[in-house]
Amino acid sequence: MSDKTIFEMIIDREIPADIVHEDDLCICFRDINPQAPIHLLVVPKKRIVRISESSSEDQATLGHLMLTVNKVAHQEGITESGFRTVINNGPHGGEEVPHLHLHILAGRQMQWPPG
Ligand code: AMP
C-alpha cells in the first residue's frame, strides 16, 4: 500500500484536526472544507481503502462506523433536524482520499438527487 493518507496523519497526530470523537477503532473530525454547517468525517483507524475493497474481515469495523455516526449525531444534536451520511467510492463517486470515510452533513436542507 502507498504512503500514509492525510487521514492516517490526522490519526497519528502529525497534522491537526478538530477531533470530536475517538476510540480504538475510529476517529471523527470536522471536514476542513465543509459542505454544510456541520460536516464531519468518521474514519476507521485501520486503512480500508474504500467500501468496494472491504471484506468480511472488516464487518465489525464497518458496523462500528455506523454506530459512531449515531453517537456523534446525538453528540452534535442533529438527530431531530436530520442529517445525511455519504460514502464516496471511486472516480464517479467523487472520492478524493483513498481511506474509507463516512461524511456526516447537517444543519441545512439536503437535496435529492445529489450532484
Ligand atoms: P472524499 O471526496 O469523499 O474523498 O472526501 C474527502 C474529504 O476530506 C473532503 O471533504 C475534504 O474536504 C476532506 N479533507 C481533506 N483533507 C482534510 C483535512 N486535513 N482535515 C479535514 N478534512 C479534510
Side-chain angles (χ1 to χ4, degrees), residues 6-7 10 15-17 29-33 39 41 88 94-97 101 103:
I6 194 105
F7 296 161
I10 289 172
I15 59 169
F29 50 88
R30 295 191 193 281
D31 197 294
I32 205 166
N33 182 23
H39 187 173
L41 301 173
N88 295 325
E95 174 199 304
E96 289 173 7
V97 179
H101 48 284
H103 295 258

Side-chain angles (χ1 to χ4, degrees), residues 27-82:
I27 191 163
C28 178
F29 50 88
R30 295 191 193 281
D31 197 294
I32 205 166
N33 182 23
Q35 301 301 308
I38 295 173
H39 187 173
L40 301 161
L41 301 173
V42 179
V43 180
K45 289 187 171 175
K46 173 188 171 187
R47 185 182 172 194
I48 299 168
V49 175
R50 58 186 62 85
I51 201 75
S52 62
E53 293 187 30
S54 62
S55 72
S56 56
E57 268 179 33
D58 300 317
Q59 184 164 334
T61 301
L62 296 176
H64 183 78
L65 296 178
M66 299 296 276
L67 291 173
T68 301
V69 169
N70 180 9
K71 186 183 196 104
V72 171
H74 278 89
Q75 195 175 297
E76 293 286 314
I78 56 175
T79 55
E80 290 210 4
S81 53

